[in-house]
Amino acid sequence: MVLKAEALSKRLVIKAYHIEKLTLAQETAFKGSTLDLQEKHLSRYISDQPLVSNIEVGILNPGQLQKDVPAVLDVIPIACKALGNLGEGITHVLTGVCAVLTLADTSGKPPAQIGSSAGLLSEKMLTDRAGTPAKSDRIILVQVTLKEGAVYKRQGIMAAHRAADSYLQTIRDQLKNRDSQAYTEKHVYEDQLEPGKTDVLLIKLLPGQGAMHDFLVLPKEPCGVAGSRSIIDLGNMPVFLTPNEYRDGALRALT
Amino acid sequence: MGIGPSTKETTKHHFKDPLMELLGEDNDCRPAGVIVAGIAANYESKEFVIRRLGTWVSALKPDGVLVSMDSWGNSHLDFNLLLEQLSSLKIPAVGLCFEGVQAEPVTLNSSQSKVIDINKSADGRETEVLGENNINSQDARKALAMLKLLKKKQL
C-alpha cells in the first residue's frame, strides 16, 4: 500500500460494559449492571418526525423471543464515543444487550419488497449471527409505527431510524459517563502498517437505490444516525474508511 | 426489507463483520481499509461508481481485495464489473455474495477473481429469516484462504 504509516496510525480503545438485567422504569439510568429504560412519555423522541405515529419500548429477556413483530428493521449495538471521534479515542459499548428496531405503518403494513421478517421473532430471526443478538442477549425492543403508506418512502424509513436513534441516545449519554475503570472487557486496535504483512482491502457494495436500499456513513456516535450521510445523497460514490472507523460503527444499515 | 431479510446486513453485522474480525486476527494479513460504495439504480451510474472504485484501488495498491455485497439481482452487474476491473489491475480478489438458486448472477464473472456463494439455506432461496444467509466466520476464512492462494498463483 502506498499510504504512509502515520496516515493510519490511530488508536481505538473499545471498553465493554456488561448488562445483566433490563427493567422498564420512569427514566433511563444505569444501576451497576442493571439498565433502567424509560417506558412512558416517549412522544418527545418523535416530535420532530412528522411521519412517525408512535414509538414503544419493551424488553425481551433470553428465551422470550415468542414475540410477534411486524418486521425487523435493524439490530443495533448500543455504543457511544467517550473520547475522540469515530475511529479513534475511546468507545464504550454495552454487551449482553442490543436493540432490535421493528417497523410497520398504522395499517400494519411492514416495509417489505422481496419478503418480510414479520412474525414470531423466534422463527424469523436466528440468534448468534454477526448481525443478530446472541441467544443470551437481552433485547431492547424499539417498535416504531409510521403513518399509513410511509413505510414505502425513503423519508419514512429515515424517520423511523431517527426516532429510534433519539431514544437510544439517552442510553448513550449515560454510557459516556460510566466509570472508565469499571469496564468488563477492553479491546485495543491500532491502525498501522505492519511490514511483511499482506495488505487486504475490503470493498463493500451495498444498496443505494431508494427506500430500504440505502445506508448511512460516519455517524457521530458508533452505529448511530445523527451526523451521518446517506450513500444515496453522496451519489453512491466510494467512501474510504480506516479499519478502526469501520470497527467503531461507521455504517448504519437502512436496508 | 430492501433485498430480503435473510441476506440483510444489519448495523450489528457491520459492527461485528466477520471479514474485519478475521483480517484483524490473521498472522499473514492486515486490514488496509474499507471502501463502501452504493449500488446505483441505472447502468450509467453503476459504471461510474465502479470506475471510481477502480481508481481508488489503483491508487492504494493493496496486495489483495475482498469484495462483499449485500444485494442480488441487478446488483450482480456492479459486482462483476468490479471483479473484472480488479482483474484488469492484476490485483487478486475474492468476492462474496448471495447466489443460491434464486440469485444466479445476471452476468457471468469473466475475470480471474473468485466468487463465494454465501447461501446457507437448504433450498438456495431467500428464507425471510433474519441472519440466515449472511457472511459468517467460515465464509470469511474461506475467502481469505482463497485470496492467499490467488496471491501465490496457486488457484
Side-chain angles (χ1 to χ4, degrees):
Chain A
M1 278 284 278
V2 291
L3 286 178
K4 298 283 186 289
E6 57 270 27
L8 284 174
S9 61
K10 296 263 175 78
R11 177 184 233 230
L12 172 66
V13 177
I14 297 185
K15 292 179 180 176
Y17 293 83
H18 197 67
I19 292 296
E20 287 171 1
K21 192 179 173 194
L22 293 177
T23 54
L24 293 172
Q26 293 272 333
E27 286 185 344
T28 297
F30 286 98
K31 288 174 188 153
S33 60
T34 298
L35 172 58
D36 287 349
L37 293 164
Q38 185 189 354
E39 183 190 18
K40 290 181 179 157
H41 311 297
L42 304 182
S43 57
R44 70 184 170 104
Y45 301 110
I46 61 172
S47 56
D48 58 347
Q49 302 299 333
L51 292 174
V52 176
S53 157
N54 190 35
I55 183 170
E56 283 177 34
V57 173
I59 292 169
L60 298 176
N61 285 314
Q64 291 183 343
L65 293 182
Q66 286 80 25
K67 168 85 180 172
D68 206 7
V69 298
V72 177
L73 194 63
D74 202 6
V75 180
I76 310 156
I78 297 164
C80 66
K81 288 313 297 181
L83 184 71
N85 294 319
L86 208 75
E88 57 173 333
I90 301 172
T91 289
H92 289 176
V93 63
L94 293 182
T95 52
V97 63
C98 64
V100 170
L101 170 60
T102 73
L103 186 68
D105 70 8
T106 48
S107 69
K109 287 196 188 72
Q113 187 192 33
I114 309 174
S116 153
S117 49
L120 289 176
L121 265 183
S122 54
E123 294 172 2
K124 289 294 192 173
M125 182 177 77
L126 297 181
T127 51
D128 292 317
R129 301 296 165 117
T132 64
K135 198 175 178 186
S136 57
D137 275 352
R138 284 160 175 77
I139 291 172
I140 301 171
L141 190 66
V142 182
Q143 298 197 272
V144 172
T145 309
L146 292 179
K147 293 190 175 151
E148 191 169 357
V151 283
Y152 305 124
K153 292 182 177 160
R154 202 177 142 214
Q155 299 91 320
I157 303 299
M158 265 314 299
H161 278 274
R162 284 192 195 284
D165 195 53
S166 174
Y167 180 83
L168 296 177
Q169 190 61 36
T170 61
I171 306 175
R172 294 190 193 110
D173 288 343
Q174 303 210 27
L175 181 57
K176 280 178 201 293
N177 299 324
R178 294 211 70 182
D179 180 349
S180 64
Q181 298 305 314
Y183 53 82
T184 42
E185 283 172 56
K186 181 179 168 183
H187 303 271
V188 180
Y189 301 98
E190 306 275 0
D191 263 345
Q192 59 187 17
L193 295 177
E194 294 173 62
K197 280 201 169 186
T198 300
D199 281 320
V200 178
L201 181 70
L202 177 58
I203 298 181
K204 291 182 69 96
L205 296 176
L206 303 168
Q209 307 186 347
M212 299 298 288
H213 292 261
D214 195 0
F215 63 96
L216 304 174
V217 292
L218 294 164
K220 277 197 177 128
E221 299 280 20
C223 305
V225 174
S228 65
R229 304 282 187 279
S230 145
I231 199 71
I232 296 177
D233 295 343
L234 295 174
N236 287 317
M237 290 292 279
V239 176
F240 182 87
L241 305 170
T242 66
N244 276 353
E245 284 173 334
Y246 186 54
R247 288 182 179 117
D248 207 13
L251 293 192
R252 170 80 170 215
L254 301 184
T255 43
Chain B
M1 307 297 102
I3 304 300
S6 79
T7 56
K8 173 189 174 83
E9 290 183 351
T10 64
T11 299
K12 182 170 179 280
H13 183 94
H14 299 307
F15 192 60
K16 305 293 281 181
D17 192 331
L19 294 169
M20 179 52 75
E21 297 215 328
L22 181 65
L23 285 172
E25 293 165 0
D26 194 78
N27 289 328
D28 309 320
C29 301
R30 64 157 214 121
V34 182
I35 301 183
V36 292
I39 298 166
N42 69 65
Y43 192 73
E44 191 188 349
S45 296
K46 286 177 185 295
E47 277 193 321
F48 186 81
V49 170
I50 298 301
R51 272 202 304 276
R52 297 317 304 161
L53 272 170
T55 309
W56 263 109
V57 173
S58 38
L60 291 169
K61 297 184 176 55
D63 299 312
V65 177
L66 294 176
V67 179
S68 91
M69 179 169 75
D70 172 14
S71 190
W72 45 277
N74 72 43
S75 314
H76 277 112
L77 292 169
D78 311 59
F79 188 73
N80 285 332
L81 279 173
L82 178 57
L83 293 182
E84 282 165 16
Q85 179 113 208
L86 295 170
S87 189
S88 70
L89 292 169
K90 309 254 182 289
I91 291 179
V94 175
L96 303 97
C97 67
F98 175 71
E99 290 182 4
V101 298
Q102 192 172 20
E104 190 181 344
V106 291
T107 59
L108 294 174
N109 165 34
S110 59
S111 70
Q112 300 300 307
S113 311
K114 299 292 173 191
V115 175
I116 293 173
D117 179 2
I118 59 169
N119 168 61
K120 317 275 183 300
S121 65
D123 63 356
R125 295 193 161 267
E126 166 56 58
T127 57
E128 301 189 345
V129 176
L130 192 70
E132 185 160 17
N133 287 325
N134 283 148
I135 292 170
N136 61 17
S137 59
Q138 197 177 341
D139 297 322
R141 284 198 297 274
K142 192 171 164 189
L144 193 58
M146 284 172 94
L147 191 67
K148 288 179 184 180
L149 288 173
L150 276 176
K151 193 167 170 282
K152 290 179 185 167
K153 299 189 172 32
Q154 290 176 350
L155 193 68

